[in-house]
Amino acid sequence: MHRPLPRRSAHSRPRRLAAATVAGLLLAVGAAGAAGAAGAAPAALASNGSPEASAPSPTQLVEDYRAVYGTPGAAAAIITDTGVERVTSGQDGEGREVSASTPFRIASISKSMTATAVMLLVERGEFGLDDPVAQLLPEFRLDDPRAGEITVRQLLQHRSGLSIRTNDEYALPPAGSAEEAVARLANRHLAWDPGSQFEYHNTNYAIAARLVEVVAGQPFDEFLETELFAPLGMTDTLATEGCSDEVPGVADGYEVVLGFAVDVPEMPGLCAGNGGVISTLDDLVRWMRFNTGATIGLLGADSLATLHQATAGSDGYALGWQDRRTPSGVPLVGHGGTLATWTGDVVFAPGDGTAVVVLTNAAGSPGELSANLLATVTGDPVLPIENPFTALNAVLLALTIVIGILLILAIVRAPRWARRRVFARRPLVVLRLLPIAAIVVGGALLPMLMNANTGLVTNWVVTLWLLPMAAILGLVCVGFGLAALVCRAASYARARRRAAAR
């Protein structure tokens, strides 16, 4: 006689469902990691594979990068003494094919142009790099006497003492202009003595932009257009004050999550002087030729060298440029640019003038692509590129689904949960609600928890743009968590009333 199989209790079903979900999602995370590794494979094989394998072409490198990051559109150029090789691929936010004349927001690559604008005024004798900013810009005041010691050079080297810890430049609403950004500093303090420490802080370059405006007597964007862009033939380049300012002909960039790309407006913020330039591949080729010395006349050789050379104690940061090196040790000068929906990178070798430009309309790591493109000229190894966001977003998706399922179960099962505790003491019932309350609080504080190790506070708007899956996780925790708390509390109250009426 066969014994009947044991009957599983109804209470085990949610646990089995959650366990199965976790297992499945962990497999998905593993698959995502494997996919990321596979996406990095072509470049790795080309540089480290069999002897007969040839180095990847610039076109292949751009396509490999797009595949790894899911980048909808990219434009790149390799500049040598023999000419320019351009690679364009994909589409912009309005579905148009990317070309060498497609406009891109170049983000912090703009800093090199702000520094050059300052150097133009220095060459004209308007002020010196080591002059105190407060003497040149009387409206520049902080609630800190040390602010009077900050020099123009220290602004451009990010060694002013300004810090995100004492000046939250991501606070909303953002300043509407460089002038307003300077005015907002009136009640701020420095984090350390000017010149004593490096911290990359965008407000330094907003102050520099305002300095140019006051000394030159014209808006910063007009100064760049008339004194920098027009002389260099950069006719398709302009500057905006807001990071998300609408400009005719400029499409939105993209958010890319787990391979899905959605065109969205750029995150609001102040970009005057620090990231507001919009340019094209062709115009940035002209910009790099100027910086390598191929275009003569706008700035003297000594001034160009000053822009490009970092000094002792500057952490490798010059004036709007950063020191870099190839894997074989060749000195380079470059700068990257990152907004929420746009990234780019420029780099050149001062010795021979070889340069690379990379522009993309989504998040990523364009500096890795520019290094690989440069390697096709220098003979350095082409390195594999991996997307760290693939695994991170997969983990966040897994957490979102698991927590969402558990909270939905808590909502659906709230009446049963209440009936089982109708005669329990209220303090014990409250204790039973604490885990869900902790999920709600954790979701609400997620932006701060993400940066707990840095001491920074990130608001929800920044989190939504920079890491959408984290924002979705937080919203699920807060929304479904509150619903679960309300359902359990209401069900418990009803159960108590019914028990009292019997």
Side-chain angles (χ1 to χ4, degrees):
M1 180 175 180
H2 295 288
R3 297 180 61 186
L5 292 174
R7 185 178 180 183
R8 294 186 178 99
S9 70
H11 301 305
S12 70
R13 291 179 192 140
R15 295 188 182 94
R16 295 202 317 275
L17 178 59
T21 302
V22 171
L25 288 169
L26 286 176
L27 290 174
V29 171
L45 179 62
S47 59
N48 300 313
S50 59
E52 64 272 12
S54 60
S57 68
T59 297
Q60 185 61 52
L61 289 172
V62 171
E63 293 304 329
D64 287 349
Y65 178 89
R66 288 188 59 218
V68 169
Y69 276 98
T71 307
I78 301 174
I79 307 161
T80 64
D81 56 2
T82 60
V84 180
E85 181 174 359
R86 296 171 176 83
V87 178
T88 58
S89 180
Q91 65 180 30
D92 70 6
E94 294 181 359
R96 296 172 298 214
E97 183 177 345
V98 171
S99 71
S101 59
T102 297
F104 288 78
R105 297 184 190 270
I106 69 171
S108 286
I109 299 172
S110 308
K111 289 181 173 67
S112 63
M113 300 170 183
T114 300
T116 302
V118 170
M119 189 60 74
L120 284 171
L121 295 176
V122 170
E123 270 204 350
R124 295 172 187 177
E126 297 290 350
F127 54 80
L129 287 174
D130 297 311
D131 289 348
V133 176
Q135 293 183 11
L136 305 169
L137 188 62
E139 66 197 66
F140 175 63
R141 298 184 303 275
L142 280 78
D143 189 15
D144 192 318
R146 297 173 295 175
E149 305 169 17
I150 299 172
T151 66
V152 176
R153 190 190 303 273
Q154 288 167 347
L155 280 182
L156 299 181
Q157 289 184 326
H158 295 290
R159 298 174 70 230
S160 65
L162 287 168
S163 166
I164 190 68
R165 292 162 178 80
T166 56
N167 177 53
D168 183 5
E169 54 188 16
Y170 299 107
L172 296 175
S177 64
E179 181 179 9
E180 184 180 346
V182 171
R184 288 188 179 189
L185 295 172
N187 62 351
R188 304 289 198 270
H189 300 269
L190 297 179
W192 39 75
D193 293 339
S196 64
Q197 191 166 329
F198 172 88
E199 181 180 318
Y200 193 93
H201 194 61
N202 289 311
T203 303
N204 287 313
Y205 275 74
I207 299 167
R210 180 58 181 161
L211 174 63
V212 171
E213 288 183 331
V214 171
V215 173
Q218 65 182 125
F220 181 67
D221 60 329
E222 290 183 11
F223 183 89
L224 288 181
E225 181 179 356
T226 59
E227 305 298 323
L228 194 60
F229 301 151
L232 293 176
M234 299 170 63
T235 55
D236 292 322
T237 300
L238 55 90
T240 64
E241 291 191 308
C243 304
S244 57
D245 288 356
E246 292 187 9
V247 176
V250 179
D252 290 333
Y254 286 85
E255 290 275 10
V256 182
V257 179
L258 295 174
F260 295 96
V262 181
D263 58 299
V264 296
E266 177 54 39
M267 182 174 72
L270 176 70
C271 274
N274 63 68
V277 172
I278 296 171
S279 192
T280 66
L281 183 65
D282 278 345
D283 274 5
L284 285 187
V285 167
R286 297 181 178 95
W287 176 244
M288 298 308 286
R289 280 177 164 159
F290 159 68
N291 278 279
T292 58
T295 303
I296 307 299
L298 190 61
L299 272 182
D302 289 343
S303 294
L304 264 181
T306 299
L307 287 170
H308 300 154
Q309 292 173 357
T311 57
S314 66
D315 281 24
Y317 200 93
L319 307 182
W321 293 95
Q322 294 170 301
D323 280 352
R324 297 183 187 174
R325 289 187 179 274
T326 66
S328 58
V330 177
L332 302 173
V333 177
H335 207 291
T338 299
L339 292 172
T341 59
W342 304 84
T343 53
D345 194 74
V346 293
V347 63
F348 68 94
D352 62 9
T354 301
V356 169
V357 177
V358 172
L359 298 170
T360 80
N361 55 10
S365 182
E368 294 183 79
L369 176 56
S370 66
N372 280 344
L373 291 171
L374 191 64
T376 64
V377 179
T378 63
D380 285 295
V382 172
L383 302 177
I385 295 176
E386 296 182 5
N387 183 356
F389 291 104
T390 300
L392 175 59
N393 281 321
V395 169
L396 290 172
L397 176 61
L399 288 172
T400 301
I401 294 175
V402 170
I403 291 174
I405 289 174
L406 294 176
L407 290 175
I408 290 173
L409 288 173
I411 294 170
V412 172
R413 296 169 59 88
R416 183 186 303 177
W417 178 91
R419 288 194 298 271
R420 292 172 59 189
R421 291 164 178 82
V422 67
F423 297 112
R425 289 185 297 175
R426 289 187 179 180
L428 294 178
V429 175
V430 171
L431 286 175
R432 292 284 187 172
L433 295 174
L434 287 182
I436 296 179
I439 291 174
V440 173
V441 173
L445 298 179
L446 188 61
M448 285 177 281
L449 296 175
M450 289 169 57
N451 289 294
N453 62 323
T454 64
L456 307 181
V457 176
T458 303
N459 61 51
W460 269 98
V461 173
V462 174
T463 303
L464 178 62
W465 253 280
L466 298 186
L467 200 55
M469 275 308 310
I472 293 171
L473 171 59
L475 291 173
V476 166
C477 290
V478 173
F480 286 112
L482 287 175
L485 287 174
V486 170
C487 287
R488 283 191 170 184
S491 296
Y492 176 73
R494 285 195 299 269
R496 294 277 293 186
R497 287 195 300 269
R498 290 170 182 168
R502 291 193 184 115

